[in-house]
Amino acid sequence: MMIINLPKLEKTYWEQRGSKNTIKQLIIPEREISFSFVSNHRGYSIIESNGVQYCLVKNEYNNQNGYDYVIKVNKSVNEERLNSGSVKFLKWLKHPLEKTYSSEEILNSWKDKFNFIEENIEEEINGLREPQIAALYSILSHLKVSNEIGTVVMPTGTGKTEVMLATLVSKRISKLLIVVPSDALREQIFNKFYSLGLLKKFNILSEDSLFPKVGILKQNFQNLYDLNAFIDNSNVVVTTMSILARNSSEFMAEISSSFDYVFIDEAHHIEANSWKKVRSFFDKKQILQFTATPFRNDGKRLEGKIIFNFPLKKAQEQGYFKPINFIPVREYDLKKGDILIAEKAVEQLRNDLSNNYEHILMARCANKKRAKEIYQIYAERFSDLNPVLIHSSIHRKKEIVESIIRGEHKIIVAVNMLGEGFDLPQLKIAAFHDIRKSLPVTLQFAGRFTRTSMDNRLSNATFIANLADSKVEDELSELYAQDSDWNLLLSTLSSGRIDEQIDFDEFIRGFQDIDNSKIPFQNIRFALSTVVFKNNSDSYSLKDFERGIRNFDELEYKFYDYNTSSRTLVFISAERSEIEWVN
């Protein structure tokens, strides 16, 4: 018996000339089979596996009508060539399962076919991890009882994409819109939903269930007819927030009417203006946000209720985050500091490589000018490690990324590149030439280096930073303190901020009309100048506050709301005033 790889079978539902948008459905993934050679004929050959005969043809127009399974190959076939492995199986020309599947057929194939299998390493059972199955139960419960935006908090590396896939098939969602922040993540999420990730491999979804029809939206349509046709032919559509926000109101209304469910991945990247426009059209839809950090990069509150939170500390305890080795340097001459960071980082890299770990070093820079300076340090001193510079303005980015994936560069100098949507487990050494200045970004960046891998060619992550760099916000100062334990501090800081967010959300929910204020109370950050009064009477009611405010009826703007459970009154007043030095 011989072994071959049968090509995948897929169906394309949308491929319009001049359009970058596509819809594809995987029908059968690529798979390995054992076979025996049967016969050779003029123009075709026959092989057999498990009683099924496959017709192999070099010329695709020589499509044998007598066979149900016909595959195009790269050369004329004989037994010797098959044994040598020189025959390449290119694509299916004929297969009984190749047909146009309706959305109803796909949804019906998922009915009663989802299995809540939980991973058990001791018993060698593959399945959903503890954070994944717990998140899925929380999501399904939330979708049953609430129309409020639900936020799922899962640290990087705990498998939130698989949770999204499990939600799609267990809930049997017919039309799902997935919104992501970047092109790279759009491609990654598209491929995950196209293949259903590990669901079938782990028997979480039965083998006979159909794959969804997944559309990737890279550019907006010019007319509603094409837009509707694209949506009608898809079960899942993946796009970016920037693409979505550029649609007209007419097109947005059409899109919102077509989807009952919206998933927002890496929700902490949402920009206020883009989301505000999009959000208004999906007011009555089921929206789920997935993120590792439930606070936005711009410092503003992330809308929605946190329905599931898997703490970073627990992720570390369960091995989803590997320990971090932090190497601090202290050099007040920052130019010398950059050289020292580079030397320490490369020393660690060479040590890891000598131990047969296939690690890659990333030097993180704040902007393109800094990246160019830092790249020169590495290029001049460590040319044998083939440093490469990559940022948004670099030409041939795609080729550079492909060469990085192939392992041709051991040092990468980057500016906000290779983040979410870029999966390179070999990234294990981070040289902070410019310090990340917000906790969400630091946690996200750390997660790319600390995720667990079964590959024994990879070890723990190492971070190098200059403690003398004064550009550190208060919330990060502990992380860069001398001899700080990043493994402890990252989880402590993360838990503190997330708990604070959850407490604040519960506090806000105690009010009845707080969202009706024209001045959003959630975004007010109080100054430190505060007056506190002590009430010496038990009979005082906060609801009588109007009596204590001078000229209450004459105030230009006023809003108030009362939280019964916390016995808290919120009162907002505002007035317009002329500024002498500006029109």
Side-chain angles (χ1 to χ4, degrees):
M1 298 291 283
M2 295 172 281
I3 302 295
I4 59 168
N5 278 321
L6 292 179
K8 67 180 178 182
L9 175 65
E10 69 176 9
K11 175 81 173 174
T12 300
Y13 289 82
W14 184 276
E15 209 165 41
Q16 195 177 48
R17 188 172 182 177
S19 172
K20 299 176 182 177
N21 305 325
T22 58
I23 301 172
K24 290 186 178 181
Q25 180 190 21
L26 180 62
I27 298 174
I28 300 176
E30 181 180 313
R31 61 192 179 98
E32 193 178 79
I33 64 165
S34 57
F35 72 97
S36 56
F37 186 80
V38 176
S39 59
N40 214 346
H41 305 273
R42 186 176 180 181
Y44 68 96
S45 300
I46 303 299
I47 61 173
E48 186 173 299
S49 176
N50 294 326
V52 177
Q53 291 195 335
Y54 299 86
C55 176
L56 312 180
V57 298
K58 179 185 176 185
N59 184 349
E60 64 182 274
Y61 300 106
N62 185 15
N63 200 336
Q64 297 297 313
N65 292 325
Y67 296 92
D68 292 329
Y69 300 86
V70 183
I71 304 173
K72 176 179 170 62
V73 291
N74 65 327
K75 60 174 67 174
S76 299
V77 176
N78 57 40
E79 192 167 3
E80 182 182 345
R81 285 179 173 175
L82 282 171
N83 282 327
S84 69
S86 64
V87 177
K88 305 297 180 188
F89 291 72
L90 302 177
K91 65 177 181 179
W92 288 97
L93 298 177
K94 192 177 178 184
H95 194 289
L97 295 178
E98 185 177 18
K99 61 171 234 178
T100 298
Y101 291 91
S102 69
S103 293
E104 187 176 358
E105 284 179 288
I106 294 168
L107 290 179
N108 286 338
S109 78
W110 298 344
K111 188 175 182 181
D112 302 325
K113 297 297 177 67
F114 185 84
N115 305 303
F116 286 86
I117 300 174
E118 188 168 356
E119 179 185 66
N120 189 318
I121 296 175
E122 292 179 358
E123 297 181 14
E124 297 183 349
I125 297 174
N126 290 318
L128 294 171
R129 298 168 174 175
E130 180 183 314
Q132 292 173 325
I133 204 160
L136 181 59
Y137 281 130
S138 296
I139 289 168
L140 295 177
S141 174
H142 172 77
L143 294 178
K144 283 283 187 185
V145 300
S146 176
N147 287 321
E148 191 176 0
I149 295 176
T151 301
V152 177
V153 181
M154 297 178 69
T156 304
T158 51
K160 60 182 169 61
T161 307
E162 235 67 33
V163 174
M164 295 164 69
L165 293 170
T167 303
L168 169 73
V169 295
S170 62
K171 185 68 178 172
R172 295 174 62 221
I173 297 173
S174 60
K175 292 288 181 186
L176 170 64
L177 178 65
I178 304 175
V179 186
V180 299
S182 67
D183 295 345
L185 192 55
R186 177 175 56 195
E187 293 289 341
Q188 180 177 309
I189 294 294
F190 169 82
N191 290 327
K192 275 281 194 176
F193 275 80
Y194 167 82
S195 65
L196 286 179
L198 298 171
L199 295 192
K200 286 199 172 189
K201 183 179 178 181
F202 291 173
N203 201 34
I204 296 166
L205 186 65
S206 299
E207 183 60 35
D208 58 349
S209 299
L210 295 171
F211 292 89
K213 296 183 287 187
V214 186
I216 185 165
L217 188 65
K218 295 184 176 181
Q219 64 184 52
N220 285 319
F221 287 98
Q222 300 301 310
N223 60 76
L224 287 174
Y225 178 83
D226 286 342
L227 173 64
N228 285 321
F230 184 83
I231 294 172
D232 289 345
N233 279 290
S234 307
N235 295 111
V236 179
V237 172
V238 187
T239 190
T240 60
M241 185 65 78
S242 59
I243 290 287
L244 203 58
R246 287 201 294 267
N247 278 290
S248 67
S249 296
E250 182 184 14
F251 277 61
M252 280 303 304
E254 200 69 30
I255 293 169
S256 66
S257 67
S258 302
F259 295 96
D260 293 322
Y261 293 84
V262 181
F263 290 177
I264 300 173
D265 197 17
E266 306 296 352
H268 57 279
H269 281 290
I270 290 175
E271 293 181 5
N273 292 336
S274 299
W275 173 231
K276 186 176 180 181
K277 177 183 177 183
V278 171
R279 173 75 179 89
S280 63
F281 288 94
F282 291 95
D283 192 41
K284 296 183 180 178
K285 306 296 181 178
Q286 294 270 24
I287 299 173
L288 291 176
Q289 298 177 145
F290 296 83
T291 181
T293 53
F295 17 84
R296 294 202 323 225
N297 287 348
D298 59 11
K300 294 183 180 178
R301 179 176 173 267
L302 192 64
E303 187 181 359
K305 178 183 179 182
I306 296 176
I307 60 172
F308 178 76
N309 171 38
F310 194 75
L312 180 59
K313 184 179 180 181
K314 203 165 185 179
Q316 289 174 325
E317 290 172 352
Q318 296 185 7
Y320 302 124
F321 262 47
K322 285 197 171 185
I324 300 167
N325 174 32
F326 180 45
I327 300 177
V329 302
R330 189 179 292 277
E331 174 54 63
Y332 289 92
D333 183 331
L334 296 186
K335 287 189 177 181
K336 290 181 181 178
D338 285 327
I339 295 172
L340 193 55
I341 289 172
E343 288 175 346
K344 290 284 187 182
V346 172
E347 180 184 348
Q348 181 66 42
L349 175 63
R350 292 196 192 280
N351 184 58
D352 290 354
L353 294 174
S354 69
N355 287 314
N356 297 318
Y357 294 128
E358 297 184 355
H359 290 180
I360 294 175
L361 185 161
M362 177 187 280
R364 193 267 166 184
C365 305
N367 53 56
K368 297 168 191 175
K369 182 183 176 184
R370 281 281 292 149
K372 191 175 180 181
E373 295 171 359
I374 299 304
Y375 172 73
Q376 290 301 320
I377 294 173
Y378 287 95
E380 290 171 4
R381 295 166 182 264
F382 314 109
S383 58
D384 61 307
L385 296 169
N386 199 15
V388 65
L389 173 64
I390 185 167
H391 54 68
S392 59
S393 301
I394 287 285
H395 296 299
R396 302 185 304 106
K397 280 196 295 293
K398 186 177 181 181
E399 291 90 332
I400 291 173
V401 170
E402 288 172 353
S403 67
I404 290 171
I405 293 171
R406 289 194 299 268
E408 295 175 12
H409 308 279
K410 284 298 178 184
I411 298 176
I412 305 166
V413 181
V415 182
N416 296 329
M417 297 288 290
L418 313 183
E420 289 94 340
F422 185 83
D423 191 13
L424 187 65
Q426 292 87 345
L427 282 176
K428 286 296 177 182
I429 301 173
F432 286 78
H433 288 274
D434 293 304
I435 289 173
R436 295 271 181 169
K437 297 182 182 65
S438 74
L439 181 60
V441 183
T442 298
L443 290 172
Q444 199 70 23
F445 188 77
R448 315 235 50 92
F449 289 77
T450 58
R451 60 175 57 192
T452 302
S453 172
M454 300 301 291
D455 194 336
N456 57 15
R457 295 168 299 177
L458 301 177
S459 186
N460 296 342
T462 300
F463 288 2
I464 302 96
N466 186 2
L467 300 181
D469 189 339
S470 62
K471 302 173 184 176
V472 185
E473 287 188 358
D474 291 339
E475 68 175 351
L476 286 183
S477 59
E478 288 184 83
L479 290 178
Y480 297 97
Q482 186 70 41
D483 300 324
S484 60
D485 182 350
W486 276 52
N487 303 290
L488 174 63
L489 288 170
L490 274 177
S491 62
T492 302
L493 286 170
S494 172
S495 298
R497 282 288 299 274
I498 294 172
D499 290 345
E500 180 183 309
Q501 186 80 12
I502 293 172
D503 289 345
F504 185 70
D505 287 346
E506 290 178 356
F507 175 68
I508 290 295
R509 281 189 215 323
F511 295 94
Q512 301 299 312
D513 302 308
I514 200 75
D515 291 330
N516 293 326
S517 172
K518 292 179 182 178
I519 301 172
F521 173 68
Q522 295 91 326
N523 291 336
I524 295 175
R525 294 294 176 263
F526 298 107
L528 290 178
S529 53
T530 304
V531 179
V532 179
F533 296 91
K534 182 178 181 181
N535 175 36
N536 294 315
S537 167
D538 294 331
S539 61
Y540 178 75
S541 170
L542 281 174
K543 295 181 180 180
D544 294 332
F545 74 97
E546 299 175 22
R547 294 163 49 193
I549 296 178
R550 186 179 299 172
N551 301 321
F552 178 84
D553 293 332
E554 298 172 15
L555 291 174
E556 189 170 355
Y557 173 81
K558 50 184 176 286
F559 172 86
Y560 56 90
D561 196 4
Y562 184 69
N563 184 326
T564 305
S565 60
S566 66
R567 300 182 68 231
T568 304
L569 172 83
V570 166
F571 172 65
I572 300 172
S573 66
E575 63 180 20
R576 292 181 181 86
S577 60
E578 300 260 340
I579 300 175
E580 294 180 359
W581 44 268
V582 71
N583 290 331

